[in-house]
Amino acid sequence: MSETKTYNVLFLCTGNSARSIMAEALLNAMGGGRFKAYSAGSHPKGEVHSLAREMIKRSRLPTEGLRSKDWAEFAQPGAPELDFVFTVCDNAAGEVCPVWPGQPMTAHWGIEDPAAATGAEEEQLKVFFNVYMQLSRRISIFANLRIDNLDRLALKKRLDEIGKVGAEERV
């Protein structure tokens, strides 16, 4: 893999309404043009969760073009050739995924589902904020990796380690 290449990254979760959408927006912003991020779900909700959109807007990141979509879009002819696929929910990690074009490297970066948060909107917003910050830390580390300085085995190890960053903070 070369540093001059733009890497295509797909973030997956079941509903594609919150975590994977926030990850897509974060990497597209943090990636400095080195990455093109996408998101999808095995059973997409069909809309972006309003509090996920709120977190993205609060960070002054663009929200246009963000949509909940089926992961099958990325297994179709003409889909972007993927370099990395990250699952951000435990359900999607256990599902049988389509065959992705490009033989991407994969890792599981499980994070609690903020869309499952209950209580007052302020309490839900706090959960979304915590998830957003955890994703932000992981994506920042990933975006700053010297990918072409690592062989596939070392890169896979780093990707798996990134998936554990902040896991101890889970509620």
Side-chain angles (χ1 to χ4, degrees), residues 48-60:
V48 176
H49 194 289
S50 62
L51 294 179
R53 191 175 298 279
E54 179 69 21
M55 284 292 105
I56 296 165
K57 282 182 182 177
R58 284 184 180 198
S59 295
R60 295 186 171 97

Side-chain angles (χ1 to χ4, degrees), residues 56-83:
I56 296 165
K57 282 182 182 177
R58 284 184 180 198
S59 295
R60 295 186 171 97
L61 301 180
T63 59
E64 59 273 355
L66 295 176
R67 64 184 179 87
S68 178
K69 57 207 152 300
D70 195 289
W71 65 10
E73 283 188 30
F74 296 92
Q76 303 287 332
E81 190 169 295
L82 301 171
D83 298 293

Side-chain angles (χ1 to χ4, degrees), residues 1-7 32-35 83 146-148:
M1 294 183 189
S2 164
E3 287 296 330
T4 59
K5 171 183 167 57
T6 299
Y7 297 102
R34 288 181 51 217
F35 299 94
D83 298 293
R146 298 292 312 238
I147 293 171
D148 68 342

Side-chain angles (χ1 to χ4, degrees), residues 150-168:
L150 300 169
D151 63 38
R152 283 187 70 84
L153 189 58
L155 180 56
K156 174 64 175 148
K157 183 177 188 235
R158 287 295 292 136
L159 297 177
D160 290 341
E161 289 169 353
I162 291 168
K164 296 177 180 134
V165 170
E168 64 281 356

